[in-house]
Amino acid sequence: PYDKINISDNFLRKVVPPFYPEVTADTPVSELLEKYIHVNSVTRVENDVKLQEITAKSEPLMYWEGAFLSLPNGATRAVYGDKRDYIYGGKVVDQQTHLGYDLASLAHAEIPAANRGRVVFTGDLGIYGLTVVIDHGFNLFSLYAHMSSIGVAVGDIVEKGDTLGRTGVTGLAVGDHLHYSMLVGGQFVDPLEWWDAHWIKDNIA
């Protein structure tokens, strides 16, 4: 899959300041673009290293059962494996691979836990913004990002469908949506498989 993300001056002035407190209204757009590219590439790697730490330990039991839930009435805006070109002024300024699904519903839509598990992270995770990570046992994790609010705490046991918080535009989000990822052994995998009860029956159960 291939996608293009057009970067505007207004977008840069919105998303860059949370990463660079020294940025002001007078900061040149050229400097904002340079800082954005740094966040989108270098900070992205740092955040994924942090995710490796978060998912390094997992409960040796199977919390979950059956197919995982997606965002109710969520329209797919991006898929796992998207090759993204970031375009500013008609030129490609950066390229990244998208490692999850972007799902959009109503603004500040409730986000359900995809399956039963234990909350192992809540808080700001750089490019992902406000984020929740759930351990489903045996090194299987789900990640919920760009949230506007979080309603669970580390250590909570959540049931499938429990509300974790609400969608938002935190981190590098262009618009209000949920970025949903799944990881196995610290590696991103395609969530589409885990939403499929038939795939789970054949490959896991």
Side-chain angles (χ1 to χ4, degrees):
Y2 174 76
D3 196 10
K4 293 181 179 180
I5 296 181
N6 291 299
I7 300 169
S8 67
D9 292 354
N10 287 337
F11 175 71
L12 291 172
R13 293 198 180 280
K14 179 176 74 75
V15 302
V16 172
F19 294 91
Y20 294 94
E22 70 273 16
V23 166
T24 69
D26 298 325
T27 301
V29 174
S30 58
E31 183 178 338
L32 293 177
L33 179 61
E34 181 180 338
K35 292 182 182 300
Y36 173 80
I37 294 171
H38 184 275
V39 170
N40 199 41
S41 54
V42 177
T43 304
R44 181 183 297 273
V45 172
E46 294 171 352
N47 295 157
D48 287 345
V49 169
K50 176 66 175 178
L51 267 177
Q52 295 292 314
E53 297 173 358
I54 294 169
T55 59
K57 294 182 180 180
S58 178
E59 295 288 340
L61 54 89
M62 190 170 170
Y63 281 113
W64 64 280
E65 182 178 2
F68 282 61
L69 298 179
S70 181
L71 182 72
N73 302 312
T76 300
R77 299 304 185 195
V79 301
Y80 176 86
D82 266 353
K83 304 299 182 183
R84 286 182 165 179
D85 282 351
Y86 294 81
I87 300 173
Y88 179 81
K91 298 180 179 180
V92 176
V93 296
D94 196 14
Q95 294 178 310
Q96 300 294 333
T97 300
H98 188 245
L99 297 175
Y101 267 70
D102 284 349
L103 306 167
S105 178
L106 299 174
H108 295 180
E110 292 187 351
I111 300 171
N115 219 314
R116 189 170 189 269
R118 182 172 63 89
V119 177
V120 292
F121 178 85
T122 64
D124 193 311
L125 192 59
I127 66 164
Y128 296 102
L130 291 181
T131 300
V132 170
V133 178
I134 297 176
D135 176 15
H136 299 287
F138 289 117
N139 296 306
L140 175 64
F141 295 84
S142 57
L143 175 149
Y144 313 75
H146 303 315
M147 300 170 70
S148 61
S149 62
I150 295 173
V152 292
V154 171
D156 287 353
I157 300 296
V158 294
E159 301 296 331
K160 183 190 292 189
D162 283 355
T163 299
L164 302 177
R166 293 181 179 270
T167 62
V169 289
T170 55
L172 293 186
V174 176
D176 188 297
H177 72 280
L178 168 68
H179 171 92
Y180 178 79
S181 289
M182 294 198 68
L183 299 95
V184 177
Q187 302 300 311
F188 288 99
V189 297
D190 193 344
L192 186 64
E193 297 173 335
W194 296 88
W195 291 329
D196 183 347
H198 185 72
W199 182 90
I200 288 175
K201 179 181 178 181
D202 288 348
N203 294 277
I204 309 296

